[in-house]
C-alpha cells in the first residue's frame, strides 16, 4: 500500500513539474517574440519595476498565506 502511495505522489510531483516547465516555456516565448513589439523604454525605473515586481508579488502571497495559516491555528 505504501508503494502505491509513493508512486502516486511521484506522478503528482512529475505533473506539477511538467506544468511549471510548460508555463515557463510559454512565458519565455512570449517575452522573446512579443517583448520587442512593446513600446517600453530601457530606463532604470522600468528595469527596477521588472526586477522587483515578481519578488514583491511572492512576498505578498507568502504573507497572505501565513496570515491564513495563523487564523487556522
Amino acid at each position: 500500500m505504501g508503494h502505491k502511495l509513493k508512486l502516486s505522489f511521484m506522478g503528482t510531483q512529475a505533473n506539477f513539474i511538467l506544468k511549471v516547465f510548460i508555463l515557463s516555456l510559454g512565458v519565455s516565448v512570449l517575452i522573446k517574440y512579443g517583448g520587442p513589439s512593446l513600446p517600453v523604454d530601457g530606463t532604470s525605473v522600468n528595469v527596477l519595476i521588472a526586477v522587483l515586481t515578481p519578488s514583491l508579488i511572492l512576498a505578498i502571497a507568502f504573507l497572505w498565506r501565513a496570515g491564513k495559516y495563523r487564523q487556522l491555528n
Side-chain angles (χ1 to χ4, degrees), residues 27-58:
V27 169
S28 297
V29 169
L30 277 173
I31 290 171
K32 180 172 177 130
Y33 296 110
S37 65
L38 295 174
V40 178
D41 295 331
T43 64
S44 57
V45 172
N46 288 340
V47 171
L48 280 173
I49 290 170
V51 169
L52 295 177
T53 299
S55 298
L56 290 174
I57 290 172
L58 282 175

Side-chain angles (χ1 to χ4, degrees), residues 2-68:
H3 187 64
K4 283 185 179 181
L5 180 62
K6 186 176 181 181
L7 288 177
S8 175
F9 177 72
M10 297 265 301
T12 303
Q13 192 174 16
N15 285 338
F16 175 73
I17 292 171
L18 183 63
K19 288 176 185 177
V20 169
F21 177 74
I22 291 171
L23 181 65
S24 176
L25 183 68
V27 169
S28 297
V29 169
L30 277 173
I31 290 171
K32 180 172 177 130
Y33 296 110
S37 65
L38 295 174
V40 178
D41 295 331
T43 64
S44 57
V45 172
N46 288 340
V47 171
L48 280 173
I49 290 170
V51 169
L52 295 177
T53 299
S55 298
L56 290 174
I57 290 172
L58 282 175
I60 291 168
F62 286 145
L63 289 172
W64 177 60
R65 194 166 179 176
K68 285 189 127 191

